[in-house]
Amino acid sequence: MKKAFITGVTGQDGAYLSKFLLGKGYHVIGMIRRSASSDMIGERLRWLGILGQIELVDGDLIDLSSLIRLMGTHKPDEVYNLAAQSFVATSWQQPLLTGEVTGLGAVNMLEALRLMHPSARFYQASSSEMFGNIRAPVQNETTPFYPRSPYAAAKLYAHWMTVNYRESFGLHASSGILFNHESPLRGVEFVTRHITDGVAQIKLGLASELKLGNVHATRDWGHARDYVQAMWLMLQQDVPDDYVIATGRTVSVQDFAGMAFAHAGLNAADFIRLDPARLRPAEVDALHGDAAKAAEKLGWRAHVALEAMAAEMVDADIARYQRKAG
Ligand code: NDP
Ligand code: GDR
């Protein structure tokens, strides 16, 4: 039985990746950090019905000794480094923490592997945010990077260190440059889930408006369920490499909101209020990915259409509020 080790297992991607790997017959080991709210840990894994099927182990990305111990003890075949301070807006409030976890944390993981278990295959969760102030209208693996937030700068450091450990030490280390991907398990602070949660509240009479920041920003949004498959495919290749993962379709925040409201039978313009407090110090105005390399080399492509994903998220949020109301 193959062993996979996942950091960030309690997050959106960690949950979907765990489910996918369990379906492939893997033994999944998920690293969790100590929390005073231990009963809340694993909510997403519980939602997918897999909490009891994963071996949860304690560790923290900024605690190198815990990573060394875990690699030495478990010697996994595959390591997926998904843990991060992943909310871009927060990275301006906590730039040092973001640098430590999102940037140096990845290097801690690489170091633990190099020292204890260099034969493992390693996946680094890189991000389209690294393209930032875009240098080309459509971005692929050859597009230059221009990070626009402390988060993106930290991810870029982790990305290049992954490349460097591959080239310096021969680690089987790959980076997935993933464009935004969402689901009903997306954190509610991210814009798609903020919108679908707001639509659900408005539909059920629990709220009367939805506050948004820059509604003109455009993103290439896909479904997390599709994207975790690409992570696994990268680690099945003989040669490690970097891949852009995207749908190739880009729409604005406003248009995504239009889809979500329409699914609930509502008109977005009647409810959206612009909130300057939600604007960012520096914005990534537009992202549009080209995943041709992943299609050709991995045989990967996105399956879930944006409208279907918006509908799934709205329905899940309505169901959540209905359950809460008993
Ligand atoms: P989430 O924010 O949902 O999950 C982040 C995970 O990291 C959580 O499990 C969190 O644990 C964990 N974590 C945070 N800090 C630490 C730490 N110090 N030590 C150990 N674990 C920690 O992110 P997603 O699932 O959406 O994304 C997965 C990865 O992919 C992230 O690295 C993200 O930056 C990156 N990415 C995401 C994209 C997306 O669109 N979703 C696109 C491109 C890249 P806890 O539950 O305890 O907070
Ligand atoms: P992003 O995702 O920053 O792209 O990072 P987010 O959903 O937070 O923002 C997308 C765009 O929407 C605009 N926006 C708002 N954003 C939020 N969160 N809330 C609002 O009210 C709002 N109004 C408008 C933002 O300004 C932005 O332009 C996500 C994260 O998952 C990263 O970890 C990951 O690396 C990238 O996607 C790819």
Side-chain angles (χ1 to χ4, degrees), residues 173-186:
S174 296
S175 268
I177 306 172
L178 270 52
F179 281 61
N180 301 52
H181 46 280
E182 322 292 310
S183 73
L185 296 184
R186 186 61 142 151

Side-chain angles (χ1 to χ4, degrees), residues 191 194-195 209-213 271-275 278:
V191 77
H194 172 64
I195 290 169
E209 61 177 27
L210 174 67
K211 288 185 180 164
L212 286 171
F271 301 101
I272 292 177
R273 303 282 172 267
L274 299 183
D275 177 4
R278 289 175 170 271

Side-chain angles (χ1 to χ4, degrees), residues 12-51:
Q12 169 188 261
D13 291 6
Y16 280 107
L17 179 63
S18 297
K19 179 150 184 162
F20 175 75
L21 293 174
L22 286 169
K24 291 238 166 253
Y26 277 71
H27 175 62
V28 177
I29 303 165
M31 187 180 85
I32 52 170
R33 49 185 178 154
R34 139 96 195 135
S35 163
S37 316
S38 54
D39 53 331
M40 303 300 285
I41 286 180
E43 255 327 295
R44 293 186 171 97
L45 300 168
R46 191 173 290 122
W47 201 83
L48 291 176
I50 55 169
L51 184 56

